[in-house]
Amino acid sequence: MRNLQDLELFVATADHGGLSAAARLLDISPAVASAALKRLETDLDTPLFVRTTRSMRLTLAGERLLARARPLLDGLRDTEEELAAGHDKVEGQLQISMPSDLGRHVVLPWLNEFQARHPDVKLRLQLTDRLADIYREPVDIALRFGKPPESGMVALPLLQDNPRVLCAAPSYLARRGVPASPHELAGHNCLCFMLDDAVNDRWRFRKGEEEIEVTVQGDRVAGDSEIVRRWALDGLGLCYRSRIDVQADLSSGRLRIVCPDWAGDNVPLYMVLANRKQVSPAVRVLREFLLGRMPGAV
């Protein structure tokens, strides 16, 4: 390969579905973009796309190259930004959106400590379980469970191992009994979370090679994750929550894990940004700070 610009053009073409969109993104002419792609395919001696009159799709070789090229280019951009911002002050305003319960009971104390260390950083927080549209809303950073499907977003991992756990208050378990397995949840009051009118009443579990999905029922549903947690703390039922959300409650004994041999869905936590231009010195320092406080961090 003669230059990295050809590789960047290839990745942009794969991400945006065609040469014209990639050319606009990189601010080059379609003719230059076409020549760059042809040059890359010549250098590699293999076609990277199957072209039709309406679309382009990756060949097997193209898929293999994309898997290697994306982290390579991301790493180079990170290095360039770090060198360019090596002496920049950690300052400015950060507008952060995050799930309500995670924000109030986990991240908020950490952010207080972060601002004490970096008083030139101003924060505007949006605590909501609704997924903020980081392209249209005034949001710089979104903390989200699960990697976003949008390929254009920047998703920086904060906590990779974050399974959902089935848990309840000791008072509920003393009153209603402890289910021996998720198969017995039909006989229990399950506290469900609702997002955009969709109730999360299908709880998935895995034990060894066995995977099951249980449809649960209960007398309470809330569109605020903090309310679901409070109901569980009050002994009103079982909840199915990400471990980081209830870690303090589990450590204190306010909640107990039920069916510990069964693992729930893993919901890794990411710091999500609309594009790499938003990865400012303040964002980088904040991410390193949060990484140091995640469960399991050394």
Side-chain angles (χ1 to χ4, degrees):
M1 295 177 220
R2 276 178 267 184
N3 57 65
L4 288 171
Q5 284 76 20
D6 294 355
L7 197 60
E8 188 174 22
L9 182 278
F10 161 73
V11 173
T13 302
D15 284 346
H16 296 276
L19 274 172
S20 297
R24 287 194 298 270
L25 179 70
L26 300 177
D27 195 23
I28 59 178
S29 70
V32 171
S34 179
L37 184 57
K38 289 180 181 178
R39 183 166 56 242
L40 183 60
E41 291 180 321
T42 299
D43 288 345
L44 295 174
D45 194 27
T46 186
L48 300 174
F49 291 94
V50 175
R51 298 164 174 81
T52 69
T53 55
R54 294 186 177 181
S55 66
M56 299 175 66
R57 63 178 176 83
L58 289 166
T59 63
L60 181 59
E63 291 177 352
R64 293 174 62 187
L65 177 61
L66 184 63
R68 300 290 183 90
R70 200 191 304 279
L72 171 64
L73 290 174
D74 288 347
L76 288 173
R77 292 190 192 102
D78 287 345
T79 301
E80 289 175 355
E81 291 166 0
E82 289 170 5
L83 292 175
H87 300 290
D88 286 359
K89 290 183 63 177
V90 178
E91 60 183 4
Q93 179 173 277
L94 294 178
Q95 302 188 85
I96 309 174
S97 173
M98 68 187 79
S100 63
D101 203 14
L102 177 76
R104 289 186 178 93
H105 298 287
V106 181
V107 179
L108 183 58
W110 296 345
L111 292 180
N112 292 339
E113 183 183 350
F114 176 80
Q115 278 191 291
R117 295 189 181 191
H118 303 284
D120 293 327
V121 176
K122 297 178 175 61
L123 299 179
R124 295 186 66 178
L125 304 184
Q126 181 187 106
L127 303 183
T128 173
D129 290 310
R130 178 184 60 83
L131 294 181
D133 187 336
I134 63 176
Y135 292 115
R136 295 181 174 87
E137 298 180 34
V139 172
D140 299 311
I141 299 169
L143 302 187
R144 290 186 181 176
F145 291 118
K147 189 172 184 178
E150 299 92 334
S151 61
M153 289 184 179
V154 177
L156 306 174
L158 290 175
L159 180 63
Q160 293 288 67
D161 183 18
N162 183 42
R164 296 192 192 277
V165 293
L166 182 64
C167 52
S171 59
Y172 174 84
L173 298 175
R175 187 173 70 254
R176 296 290 299 274
V178 181
S181 80
H183 296 284
E184 298 181 7
L185 291 182
H188 284 267
N189 195 43
C190 295
L191 309 169
C192 293
F193 172 66
M194 175 178 62
L195 182 62
D196 296 332
D197 296 326
V199 178
N200 179 24
D201 57 359
R202 295 182 179 182
W203 296 357
R204 290 180 291 272
F205 301 91
R206 183 183 68 258
K207 181 180 181 181
E209 298 298 319
E210 184 180 0
E211 296 185 12
I212 61 172
E213 180 179 273
V214 181
T215 300
V216 299
Q217 293 183 341
D219 61 1
R220 288 171 172 82
V221 175
D224 187 314
S225 57
E226 183 183 8
I227 292 177
V228 175
R229 173 177 161 273
R230 287 185 179 183
W231 282 339
L233 289 170
D234 289 340
L236 300 175
L238 291 151
C239 66
Y240 183 63
R241 300 296 307 279
S242 128
R243 179 182 280 274
I244 191 175
D245 285 327
V246 294
Q247 186 63 58
D249 300 315
L250 295 172
S251 298
S252 68
R254 294 187 295 266
L255 292 177
R256 283 177 48 194
I257 290 182
V258 178
C259 306
D261 294 338
W262 291 83
D265 286 337
N266 189 46
V267 281
L269 181 63
Y270 286 86
M271 175 184 284
V272 180
L273 303 95
N275 57 65
R276 290 199 164 270
K277 292 181 180 179
Q278 292 181 288
V279 186
S280 65
V283 170
R284 285 195 295 271
V285 172
L286 175 60
R287 184 190 176 222
E288 291 300 318
F289 180 86
L290 294 177
L291 282 171
R293 276 143 189 81
M294 289 294 157
V298 178

